[in-house]
Amino acid sequence: MTFQSHISNPVRSSMARAVRSPVTRTMSLIALCAAYIQGPISKIYDFNGALAEMDHFGLHPAVFFAVAVIVFELTASAMVICGFLRWAGALALSGFTLVATFIALRFWEMAPGMDRMVATNAFFEHLGLAGAFVFVAAFDLTKGTGK
């Protein structure tokens, strides 16, 4: 007996309608992209901080990388949310997340302790986020195909 068989059809149908609704879809995509909207906005308001972040991670010239990250994150997020080449924006954010995670969250190089634990948790949370973007891309590329 599967878990699905324990949920009555009316409840399942109601849940399916709620999950498939355009409002739920849009809010979910906004939530998925929230860090990629908040991050660039913070960098715009504190551009010196953005430059310091680029320097910290060895990304030079810092101005180029700060501007590129701001434009990239906002553009890819807009693509995911509005649906214009959603799959491409989602895959781009997934790849960006993986690269940034391996640059910024090198927990395996840290001494044991709280900082390492926080970095380890953030590393794996970011892997999940990257996976969610791949899922969005797969769904977008296969919608309507029955696959």
Side-chain angles (χ1 to χ4, degrees), residues 9-86:
N9 284 340
V11 171
R12 189 162 188 237
S13 296
S14 296
M15 290 173 67
R17 273 193 307 279
V19 171
R20 284 191 214 134
S21 80
V23 171
T24 301
R25 182 178 334 128
T26 301
M27 295 306 293
S28 296
L29 292 169
I30 290 170
L32 184 61
C33 294
Y36 304 91
I37 297 167
Q38 175 273 328
I41 290 171
S42 293
K43 285 174 177 60
I44 291 167
Y45 282 107
D46 181 13
F47 198 68
N48 287 332
L51 296 178
E53 181 182 32
M54 299 305 132
D55 283 334
H56 174 78
F57 292 116
L59 299 171
H60 301 285
V63 170
F64 168 79
F65 280 100
V67 171
V69 166
I70 290 166
V71 171
F72 169 78
E73 287 184 306
L74 290 175
T75 302
S77 294
M79 292 168 69
V80 169
I81 293 166
C82 78
F84 175 75
L85 295 174
R86 177 175 287 137

